[in-house]
Amino acid sequence: MKSNQFDAIVVGSGISGGWAAKELCEKGLKTLVLERGRDVQHLKDYPTMTAAPWEMPHRNHIPSADKLENPVVNKCYAYKEDTQHFFVKDSEHPYVQKKPFDWVRGYQVGGKSLIWARQTQRWSKFDFEGPGRDGFAVDWPIRYDDVAPWYSYVERFVGISGSYEGLETLPDGEFLKAWEMNCVEKEIQQRIKSAYEDRNVIIGRCAHLTEPKEIHLEQGRGQCMARNQCYRGCPFGGYFSSNSSTLPTAAKTGNLTIRPDSVVHSLIYDEQKGKVTGVRVVDRITKESSEYFATVIFLNAAALNTNLILMNSTSKRFPNGLGNDSGVLGKYIAFHNYRGSINANYEGFDDKYYFGRRPTAVMMPNFRNVHQQEMDFMRGYMTFYSAGRAGAGHADVPLGAELKEANSKPGPWSVYMMMQGETIPKETNRVSLSSDQQDEWGVPLLQINVGYDENDEKIIRDFHQQGEEMLTKAGCVNIRIWDSQQSPGLDIHEMGGVRMGRDPNTSMLNGFNQMHLAPNVFVTDGACMTSTGTQNPSITYMALTARAVDYAVKEMKKGNIG
């Protein structure tokens, strides 16, 4: 037991787990990070980071047999031959779909921080005030001003590119040089701006180093090269990941221990002491069980796995899952609605092109139900668009000089627009544990019962109508709307189940991500979210994690946790 004793344990090594490890280690705590997947070290374990297509057996395509065996992960836009080693195979990690749900996972040191889309927008005051104002879920126990300094803290370390806009709906942050729009995107921006007073079109904000500062160079990271091969692992450290940033920083303190191949079974609740004392682990390879102990525990296993661990952490005191006297554990799961998209063409600008492969799109903050409820649906959606020219090599002409000439020129301009809609957390959208099915490590399979509702359908229809109208006014032609009908989960933004709130009778966590009924346990990944907002959530997870660690360590020093 003594050799397995630490000051802090972090479950998970992804975006929020990496931040928890960094902050705990830098504050002097001997910290154990438990990761259920294999070890992945920066540079050393990026096997395809510089590979050419012809160096891959299937030229960066997935064989048909893999598509048949792993239908869920094959739907993910980032899953290809050069990235498949960073994704969970459906066949190896099954789950139960009560309703269709595409659960995309990355089990390795670094988690999904190696394969995320890297879009980072702060929430606005309207997002934190939304549930209380509009009467859904429960009121957030925090507001924008509580998180704002922590947004700044993590943004400076991560490195966020963006432009200063002064928008109330999308607060500015600590930005590096912004990426640029191309000529067609600027034209669309100006026409939308002229046609609407409430539509703010700006360049996207993303975790890419356009101009590395000293704080980034100290991490060993360099400038983003706009290669568009981010999901392979970046050899330059140009984008933020746990592997290139937070975990190496934690390791430099001498306080970090990482144990990969550690499947967390449950948290240990000591009935006599009346508190959580540690974590039960099953070795992924040997299947041997072990226990690790700590004063404080941070759960960062990603939203649905964090729910699973807490539901499986039963005791005489908590027969329905750790801290679950309220019965809300596993309920009120929400996600982002990505079903709506629009394609169009743009005529002109045939003498213009652009340089590099920009890692972000043009975006428009939500303009629906912002200051008050005014539509026949609740909440709203962010809008993203990008314009580009079809790549050379697709001209359908005879062989010979004509073919060579035609395929050496870029094609016409096209425009793609998509939505990112807020969904309303509902009690019926929930996860639970299977009573008769377990994985090979003896952990019950997760049952997922999450779906769309009429509010989601109305948001899709509004996006299609408004998007088509905006693109028409912007000068686009041949506009085609599209509903992908994709299942929830493919957005990879699942949130909730262990939500924050003011009242222990209706929530699991307080305003510092601390469990109401297990005060030495903190949850700062997507499971903690009370609502989803319309923005990408990752920078909020990071800010909440840094804030929670600061609070936890102060409470430990006061003797309130221990």
Side-chain angles (χ1 to χ4, degrees):
M1 180 173 177
K2 186 176 180 180
S3 64
N4 287 4
Q5 184 72 47
F6 297 85
D7 297 321
I9 293 175
V10 179
V11 179
S13 61
I15 283 174
S16 63
W19 263 98
K22 170 191 173 294
E23 295 297 297
L24 289 163
C25 287
E26 287 188 331
K27 294 180 185 300
L29 276 65
K30 295 294 183 182
T31 302
L32 172 66
V33 173
L34 296 170
E35 169 55 54
R36 69 175 295 155
R38 64 189 177 91
D39 192 16
V40 170
Q41 296 181 30
H42 183 52
L43 300 180
K44 175 178 176 290
D45 295 311
Y46 303 160
T48 62
M49 63 184 178
T50 58
W54 55 85
E55 294 177 298
M56 288 175 271
H58 303 98
R59 304 300 187 265
N60 206 25
H61 292 281
I62 295 295
S64 298
D66 186 282
K67 293 179 180 180
L68 292 172
E69 190 175 8
N70 302 289
V72 170
V73 71
N74 269 280
K75 296 177 186 178
C76 179
Y77 59 90
Y79 182 74
K80 297 180 182 179
E81 188 174 26
D82 59 347
T83 61
Q84 60 181 331
H85 46 280
F86 290 145
F87 287 85
V88 164
K89 299 294 182 71
D90 311 351
S91 56
E92 297 172 0
H93 297 272
Y95 61 99
V96 181
Q97 300 185 56
K98 290 288 188 177
K99 292 181 181 177
F101 189 94
D102 296 327
W103 191 13
V104 178
R105 294 158 285 171
Y107 293 162
Q108 62 262 325
V109 170
K112 294 196 295 293
S113 78
L114 287 168
I115 49 177
W116 67 309
R118 307 166 306 284
Q119 304 307 297
T120 47
Q121 312 103 23
R122 291 189 182 197
W123 279 33
S124 73
K125 66 178 184 179
F126 304 109
D127 299 294
F128 288 104
E129 295 169 1
R133 187 196 77 181
D134 293 341
F136 66 93
V138 295
D139 188 21
W140 276 88
I142 55 176
R143 291 294 185 262
Y144 174 75
D145 288 345
D146 296 310
V147 189
W150 295 101
Y151 275 134
S152 294
Y153 177 74
V154 300
E155 285 165 346
R156 286 191 292 267
F157 188 85
V158 169
I160 307 297
S161 66
S163 57
Y164 293 92
E165 304 288 345
L167 301 178
E168 195 176 29
T169 51
L170 198 67
D172 291 331
E174 309 289 333
F175 294 144
L176 304 175
K177 179 183 177 182
W179 295 90
E180 293 185 10
M181 300 183 199
N182 62 43
C183 56
V184 171
E185 291 166 343
K186 289 178 180 178
E187 181 72 10
I188 295 173
Q189 176 196 40
Q190 293 305 312
R191 292 198 182 193
I192 291 177
K193 183 178 179 180
S194 298
Y196 303 91
E197 293 184 356
D198 62 344
R199 316 282 167 101
N200 298 293
V201 180
I202 66 176
I203 190 63
R205 297 167 178 174
C206 58
H208 283 255
L209 300 181
T210 50
E211 291 181 339
K213 303 299 184 183
E214 186 63 29
I215 194 172
H216 309 122
L217 298 175
E218 289 173 355
Q219 299 171 40
R221 299 169 61 199
Q223 184 170 333
C224 172
M225 298 297 175
R227 302 188 314 152
N228 194 30
Q229 295 178 350
C230 310
Y231 308 114
R232 298 178 174 191
C234 180
F236 311 103
Y239 77 78
F240 170 83
S241 70
S242 296
N243 308 66
S244 66
S245 183
T246 46
L247 292 178
T249 301
K252 288 178 182 178
T253 67
N255 293 324
L256 177 67
T257 300
I258 299 180
R259 191 184 193 281
D261 301 315
S262 300
V263 179
V264 171
H265 177 277
S266 55
L267 303 190
I268 302 167
Y269 184 81
D270 189 307
E271 301 281 355
Q272 293 183 334
K273 295 181 178 179
K275 67 176 185 178
V276 173
T277 56
V279 179
R280 296 185 185 91
V281 169
V282 180
D283 189 281
R284 181 177 69 90
I285 299 171
T286 67
K287 308 297 192 298
E288 293 180 356
S289 297
S290 56
E291 297 180 348
Y292 297 88
F293 305 91
T295 304
V296 64
I297 294 167
F298 271 70
L299 263 182
N300 300 92
L304 298 190
N305 270 325
T306 287
N307 275 273
L308 187 158
I309 290 168
L310 288 174
M311 288 187 290
N312 203 39
S313 300
T314 57
S315 61
K316 184 178 179 181
R317 169 65 184 87
F318 295 113
N320 299 315
L322 181 66
N324 190 30
D325 287 3
S326 63
V328 300
L329 176 61
K331 300 177 182 178
Y332 301 98
I333 302 294
F335 52 97
H336 275 147
N337 182 349
Y338 274 18
R339 278 172 43 188
S341 60
I342 306 174
N343 291 288
N345 295 105
Y346 208 94
E347 296 175 344
F349 295 96
D350 292 337
D351 60 338
K352 304 292 184 183
Y353 203 64
Y354 43 88
F355 176 78
R357 299 175 179 88
R358 191 186 63 207
T360 191
V362 182
M363 64 183 186
M364 183 190 306
N366 176 44
F367 55 88
R368 290 305 201 200
N369 300 320
V370 175
H371 296 94
Q372 62 183 3
Q373 177 64 41
E374 56 192 1
M375 304 300 295
D376 67 343
F377 55 83
M378 297 181 71
R379 311 309 293 160
Y381 50 88
M382 275 194 78
T383 305
F384 299 85
Y385 76 82
S386 58
R389 303 192 70 171
H394 301 288
D396 184 16
V397 295
L399 295 174
E402 186 180 358
L403 175 67
K404 179 180 177 181
E405 178 67 19
N407 282 291
S408 64
K409 299 177 181 178
W413 287 91
S414 61
V415 178
Y416 175 73
M417 179 177 278
M418 59 170 282
M419 64 175 287
Q420 183 169 280
E422 181 169 355
T423 64
I424 305 302
K426 302 187 297 292
E427 186 174 10
T428 52
N429 275 352
R430 60 174 300 182
V431 294
S432 57
L433 299 184
S434 172
S435 60
D436 58 356
Q437 297 182 75
Q438 295 183 340
D439 63 22
E440 59 182 289
W441 301 279
V443 178
L445 295 190
L446 191 68
Q447 300 179 141
I448 304 177
N449 191 349
V450 174
Y452 297 101
D453 62 13
E454 181 57 29
N455 196 74
D456 301 319
E457 302 292 341
K458 289 181 178 179
I459 284 180
I460 296 168
R461 289 195 290 270
D462 188 76
F463 164 75
H464 278 150
Q465 189 271 324
Q466 292 299 308
E468 184 174 17
E469 179 182 287
M470 286 188 288
L471 291 179
T472 298
K473 291 184 177 182
C476 294
V477 297
N478 192 24
I479 299 172
R480 292 95 62 198
I481 65 173
W482 175 253
D483 181 349
S484 69
Q485 296 289 333
Q486 67 189 51
S487 302
L490 202 57
D491 53 291
I492 325 180
H493 287 178
E494 56 267 14
M495 299 175 236
V498 195
R499 68 185 181 185
M500 299 171 71
R502 304 178 189 277
D503 185 352
N505 293 315
T506 57
S507 63
M508 297 290 293
L509 310 171
N510 67 14
F512 288 96
N513 298 80
Q514 180 183 32
M515 292 196 74
H516 291 302
L517 303 181
N520 66 330
V521 177
F522 292 77
V523 176
T524 63
D525 61 13
C528 78
M529 302 294 276
T530 305
S531 60
T532 72
T534 60
Q535 293 89 320
N536 294 66
S538 297
I539 197 71
T540 299
Y541 301 163
M542 297 186 226
L544 291 176
T545 300
R547 179 175 179 268
V549 171
D550 181 73
Y551 172 81
V553 174
K554 288 176 179 176
E555 289 295 291
M556 291 172 71
K557 290 179 178 179
K558 293 177 183 176
N560 295 331
I561 295 176

